[in-house]
Amino acid sequence: MSLKTTRAGKLAFKILASVLFVAAFVLSTPQPVQAQAASAPAAAAPGAVGEEAVDNPYGLKALWLQGDFVARGTLIIMVIMSMGSWYIIFTKLFEQRQMMKSARSSSEAFWKAGSVKGGLGALEEGSAFRFIAEQGVKASDHHEGTMVESIDKHTWVSMSVDRAVGSVQNRLQDGMAFLATVGSTAPFVGLFGTVWGIYNALVKIGISGQASIDKVAGPVGEALIMTAIGLFVAVPAVMGYNWLIRRNKAVMDETKAFGADLHNVLLAGKR
């Protein structure tokens, strides 16, 4: 091997070693720098969404935890009003559905019987239509030989059937006053909570002596939640009241028609 070849080999070896050293240094040392540079824009970028969820310091939870007994009491009252409204709406819908079902069964089975007493067995036990029929039969059977005999039979049976229909109508009206009360007062209950919350917020701001946006927006926003809750309670109550009133009218039309037909049948002697 010549001298030039040996020197060239040593030079190439040194160059290769230097390249490998630089490459190893580049691959090892810049990683923290690159990670830091990649994280810096993400942190500095406006509107970037963090991975960790941050609790809303001005939400409903903060309203409950930071509120006094008046704010908490107002919230509890509105919750009770909302629960009562939904309970009445669902129970009245079920009751109206049962009465409409009884109306269909009475038209199919009751009037096909040979007598009123025979048709009573076709009516559902405890239904409003069976109650009206029983009251009509009772008034017709116990007219003679009593103090009401001085009243003509037509008037007495008519009064008995009308009282039974009125009792059914009063039963259908149960709970409607509560819905009307909730629908008319819930917004004002929520407004009271809002006024009270804003008052407390202004007192705290005045004591602290700071009127920055973070000191004002939070307490006032919490107070305004009360108004939203009041509307959330009132709207279903008003809509449910109007809907149930309309359905009650349809049910009572069927009930009054059944009572009028029963009255005529009883006066005709078909007992």
Side-chain angles (χ1 to χ4, degrees):
M1 181 179 295
S2 64
L3 184 59
K4 293 182 179 180
T5 305
T6 305
R7 290 180 177 177
K10 291 181 179 180
L11 182 60
F13 178 79
K14 291 180 179 180
I15 294 173
L16 180 61
S18 301
V19 171
L20 292 176
F21 176 79
V22 172
F25 178 80
V26 171
L27 293 175
S28 59
T29 56
Q31 290 181 355
V33 179
Q34 291 177 356
Q36 184 177 2
S39 60
V49 180
E51 295 181 357
E52 297 182 357
V54 180
D55 293 335
N56 184 9
Y58 307 127
L60 186 60
K61 181 179 180 181
L63 175 63
W64 175 261
L65 295 177
Q66 300 175 10
D68 55 3
F69 70 97
V70 177
R72 295 182 179 180
T74 304
L75 281 174
I76 292 174
I77 290 174
M78 288 191 290
V79 168
I80 294 174
M81 294 170 71
S82 179
M83 293 175 61
S85 298
W86 285 110
Y87 172 78
I88 291 174
I89 290 173
F90 283 115
T91 54
K92 300 305 290 184
L93 286 175
F94 176 78
E95 184 179 358
Q96 291 170 350
R97 181 176 176 273
Q98 291 297 110
M99 288 195 64
M100 295 301 294
K101 182 179 178 181
S102 298
R104 290 191 296 268
S105 64
S106 64
S107 62
E108 293 175 359
F110 180 79
W111 298 114
K112 295 180 181 179
S115 63
V116 175
K117 293 182 179 179
L120 285 176
L123 297 178
E124 183 181 357
E125 186 70 26
S127 65
F129 292 92
R130 185 177 182 120
F131 170 73
I132 295 172
E134 288 176 348
Q135 293 299 314
V137 172
K138 182 179 178 180
S140 180
D141 290 344
H142 298 83
H143 179 259
E144 292 83 4
T146 60
M147 67 175 62
V148 299
E149 188 177 5
S150 57
I151 304 174
D152 63 283
K153 185 177 180 180
H154 178 279
T155 303
W156 176 246
V157 173
S158 177
M159 290 171 55
S160 299
V161 173
D162 288 343
R163 279 197 296 265
V165 173
S167 298
V168 173
Q169 186 173 9
N170 292 334
R171 179 68 180 86
L172 284 175
Q173 293 296 325
D174 290 345
M176 304 302 293
F178 181 84
L179 289 180
T181 302
V182 170
S184 60
T185 60
F188 297 101
V189 175
L191 184 60
F192 168 77
T194 299
V195 173
W196 184 262
I198 292 177
Y199 166 74
N200 289 332
L202 293 177
V203 170
K204 293 178 182 179
I205 293 171
I207 294 175
S208 64
Q210 298 179 0
S212 58
I213 187 65
D214 59 333
K215 298 295 183 181
V216 177
V220 173
E222 293 173 6
L224 292 176
I225 295 177
M226 290 287 195
T227 302
I229 296 176
L231 295 176
F232 177 79
V233 174
V235 171
V238 173
M239 296 181 66
Y241 175 82
N242 294 329
W243 188 29
L244 293 176
I245 286 292
R246 186 171 63 252
R247 288 174 61 91
N248 277 349
K249 183 179 182 302
V251 173
M252 286 310 302
D253 289 341
E254 296 286 342
T255 305
K256 291 178 180 179
F258 177 81
D261 295 339
L262 177 66
H263 174 256
N264 294 329
V265 171
L266 290 175
L267 291 181
K270 284 282 187 177
R271 291 181 292 176

